[in-house]
């Protein structure tokens, strides 16, 4: 049986100019990185409108191995193309943290992949390196300013350094220069504010404004100090001038794929760049995109943060489930997941039912929502029958997806049903501004409580003293009416505590450039660690080819 990497390396890839042409992109806008990758100039937007139908692929709460959401998104895009629809896909760039950690890659799997897989998973076109450098230039300039007299009277530094490798030793660090000592920590790059700013900007001008208003610290008068105050906004923009252009690649079936930006969904907003999504929507009639982890994280932020800021709204939502994840939610241990257990599927089905209900009812108006069962080889006929019965009993439209095995034919039923349901819903009023689940006018605390109740079904929202003080400070500083970006475990609806009806707010961090506040819950951390047996132990280079990547 061929591995994901084998399939990617053996795939017949078209020249990137040919992929661009199929998307209606003239060669003059294409900046190739070899034969199979390119950046697309932002000048392509001139005179074009992003008017494709936008399909969001999300998921139930996953297992730590993931449930194939990206695989299903790619499979759906390929199947839409297979039934004659002009289609593109917009995805996030993989972070090196998971690539060398637990997952070993994030470009889909089997016959539902974006290619060249190893290039995309590694340095790709250098975007994440540029973001890391931009972030750390700001950090260096903050300390340099303090060292040479501190004219801005910075008293508390709030901006953190970052790197794109999971490294738990960087969660708590002490920086020292002569008598200047500070307790600090690093973020992983994909949880940094620069990554969020990069992904939410809709032009180079917007990117400049967002970078300029990033708060890097508080001065002795209690007033925020920004990147603009440091006078380095232009230098940061220079580092990002090429990275900001969306990347174009292809699926194994040559569907155009825009892959750009990669914020985590558990500790950031979890969506690819606005520029990539809008560019894809200028090139197709249907665009498939995904948001990280489950619907409680990625999908909520996709709507309440990304779509709110970008003036977008999904035309349909797909919630991916697997039988193994349902069985885990039904109480089975990971080591027993290969055992046939329709009872465990039934016990865990409420997780899917809950996410479907939230996607149908929690936003400003209704769009079609379907479930997609991503097949695994260990799935049994009895379990699939139980799943089908439960979907029918709960009036959930569903499709069985086998894109990993069957490629572009594996999600044809899902593609056909999504197209039909979008058409049936076309007459319904659609106001993107009315779609988010809460109004910014309600204030930060009220909206934290709204998200916790609507999406986590929490009755008790408990603020630590630190979080309460931080909330009061943000209100005082005028940041009471920004969206909330919840940071929590992706593996449960709540924050991972035994009290399923409670959410524990531990801290709040302002991302003024991105335009939201990060709400840290439970024991969430912004710098992951490597697992006991990381993929770094098996990824290698043999005879000039990457091996061991998943």
């Amino acid at each position: 049986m061929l591995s994901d990497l084998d399939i990617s390396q053996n795939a017949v890839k078209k020249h990137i100019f040919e992929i661009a042409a199929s998307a209606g992109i003239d060669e003059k806008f294409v900046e190739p990185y070899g034969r199979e990758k390119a950046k697309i100039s932002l000048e392509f937007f001139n005179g074009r409108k992003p008017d494709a139908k936008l399909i969001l692929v999300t998921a139930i709460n996953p297992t730590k191995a993931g449930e194939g959401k990206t695989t299903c998104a790619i499979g759906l895009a390929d199947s839409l193309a297979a039934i004659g629809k002009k289609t593109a896909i917009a995805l996030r760039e993989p972070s090196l943290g998971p690539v060398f950690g637990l997952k070993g890659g994030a470009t889909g799997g089997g016959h539902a992949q974006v290619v060249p897989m190893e290039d995309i998973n590694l340095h790709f076109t250098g975007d994440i390196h540029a973001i890391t450098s931009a972030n750390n230039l700001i950090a260096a300039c903050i300390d340099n300013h303090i060292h040479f007299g501190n004219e801005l009277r910075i008293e508390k530094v709030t901006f953190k350094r970052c790197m794109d490798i999971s490294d738990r030793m960087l969660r708590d660090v002490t920086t020292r220069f002569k008598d200047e000592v500070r307790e600090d920590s690093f973020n992983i790059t994909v949880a940094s504010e620069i990554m969020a700013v990069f992904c939410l900007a809709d032009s180079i001008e917007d990117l400049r404004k967002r970078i300029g208003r990033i708060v890097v610290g508080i001065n002795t008068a209690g007033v925020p100090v920004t990147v603009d105050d440091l006078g380095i906004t232009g230098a940061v923009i220079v580092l990002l001038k090429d990275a900001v252009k969306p990347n174009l690649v292809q699926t194994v079936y040559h569907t155009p794929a825009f892959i750009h930006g990669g914020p985590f969904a558990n500790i950031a907003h979890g969506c690819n760049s606005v520029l990539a999504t809008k560019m894809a929507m200028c090139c197709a009639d249907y665009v498939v995109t995904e948001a990280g982890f489950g619907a409680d994280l990625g999908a909520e932020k996709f709507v309440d943060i990304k779509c709110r800021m970008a003036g977008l709204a999904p035309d349909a939502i797909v919630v991916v489930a697997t039988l193994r994840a349902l069985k885990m939610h039904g109480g089975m241990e990971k080591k027993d997941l290969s055992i046939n257990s329709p009872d465990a599927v039934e016990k865990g089905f409420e997780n899917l039912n809950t996410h479907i209900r939230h996607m149908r009812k929690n936003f400003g108006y209704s769009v079609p929502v379907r479930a997609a069962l991503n097949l695994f080889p260990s799935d049994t006929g009895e379990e699939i029958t139980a799943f089908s019965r439960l979907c029918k009993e709960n009036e959930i439209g569903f499709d069985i997806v086998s894109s990993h095995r069957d490629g572009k034919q594996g999600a044809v039923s899902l593609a056909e049903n999504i197209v039909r349901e979008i058409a049936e819903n076309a007459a319904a009023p659609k106001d993107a501004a009315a779609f988010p689940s809460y109004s910014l006018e309600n204030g930060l605390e009220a909206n934290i409580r709204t998200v916790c109740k609507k999406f986590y079904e929490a009755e008790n929202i408990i603020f630590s003293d630190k979080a309460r003080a931080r909330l009061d400070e943000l209100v005082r500083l005028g940041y009471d009416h920004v969206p909330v970006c919840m940071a929590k475990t992706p593996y449960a609806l709540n924050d991972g505590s035994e009290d399923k009806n409670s959410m524990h707010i531990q801290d709040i961090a302002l991302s003024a450039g991105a335009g939201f506040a990060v709400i840290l819950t439970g024991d969430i951390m912004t710098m992951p660690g490597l697992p006991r047996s990381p993929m770094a132990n098996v990824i290698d280079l043999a005879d000039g080819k990457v091996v061991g990547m998943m």
Side-chain angles (χ1 to χ4, degrees), residues 100-219:
F100 289 102
L102 181 66
K103 297 181 81 172
T107 52
H111 295 278
Q113 292 190 58
V114 284
V115 292
M117 179 253 242
E118 61 269 49
D119 289 5
I120 298 168
N121 275 317
L122 295 174
H123 305 287
F124 200 16
T125 57
D127 295 346
I128 295 182
H129 293 302
I131 290 166
T132 303
S133 296
N135 184 102
N136 292 340
L137 173 63
I138 294 171
C141 287
I142 295 167
D143 287 328
N144 188 64
H145 177 88
I146 293 171
H147 177 68
F148 285 106
N150 197 8
E151 182 182 349
L152 294 171
R153 296 179 294 133
I154 299 172
E155 184 175 54
K156 179 173 71 172
V157 174
T158 58
F159 192 85
K160 299 179 184 298
R161 288 170 168 81
C162 71
M163 65 180 292
D164 194 44
I165 294 290
S166 298
D167 188 347
R168 61 177 54 83
M169 296 304 292
L170 296 179
R171 291 172 182 166
D172 294 290
V173 298
T174 300
T175 60
R176 180 188 300 271
F177 182 77
K178 295 184 178 179
D179 294 330
E180 301 167 11
V181 180
R182 184 169 73 244
E183 297 300 316
D184 210 338
S185 62
F186 278 60
N187 292 324
I188 191 167
T189 300
V190 286
S192 68
E193 185 173 1
I194 294 293
M195 176 61 83
V197 164
F198 179 89
C199 287
L200 290 169
D202 65 4
S203 66
I204 196 74
E205 294 78 15
D206 186 33
L207 181 63
R208 179 185 290 273
K209 291 177 183 176
R210 287 176 177 274
I211 289 171
R213 68 176 187 241
I214 291 173
V215 173
V216 300
I218 305 296
N219 70 12

Side-chain angles (χ1 to χ4, degrees), residues 95-105 166 529-531 533-537 539:
S95 162
L96 293 179
V99 168
F100 289 102
L102 181 66
K103 297 181 81 172
S166 298
L530 292 170
S533 300
M535 291 302 300
N537 289 342
I539 294 174

Side-chain angles (χ1 to χ4, degrees), residues 383-396:
E383 292 171 340
I384 295 170
T385 298
F387 177 87
S388 301
R389 172 179 56 79
L390 290 162
C391 282
K392 291 172 183 175
E393 289 175 358
N394 288 277
E395 299 182 339
I396 297 171

Side-chain angles (χ1 to χ4, degrees), residues 462-537:
I462 303 162
F463 288 78
S464 70
D465 291 343
K466 182 178 182 181
R468 174 60 64 185
R470 188 65 174 136
L471 178 63
D472 293 343
E473 180 182 45
L474 292 184
V475 171
R476 176 182 66 80
L477 294 174
Y479 295 104
D480 191 29
H481 301 289
V482 297
V484 301
C485 182
M486 302 298 296
K488 77 172 192 74
T489 177
Y491 306 119
L493 271 179
N494 73 340
D495 57 16
S497 63
E498 292 184 4
D499 182 358
K500 304 301 181 186
N501 293 319
S502 297
M503 288 292 294
H504 300 83
I505 313 301
Q506 304 296 355
D507 198 2
I508 301 176
L510 175 65
S511 291
F516 56 66
V518 180
I519 317 302
L520 295 111
T521 71
D523 59 359
I524 197 72
M525 299 177 183
T526 58
M527 171 56 81
L530 292 170
R532 181 180 296 273
S533 300
M535 291 302 300
N537 289 342

Side-chain angles (χ1 to χ4, degrees), residues 214-236:
I214 291 173
V215 173
V216 300
I218 305 296
N219 70 12
T220 53
V223 175
V225 177
T226 66
V227 171
D228 270 351
D229 292 331
L230 287 171
I232 59 170
T233 304
V236 177

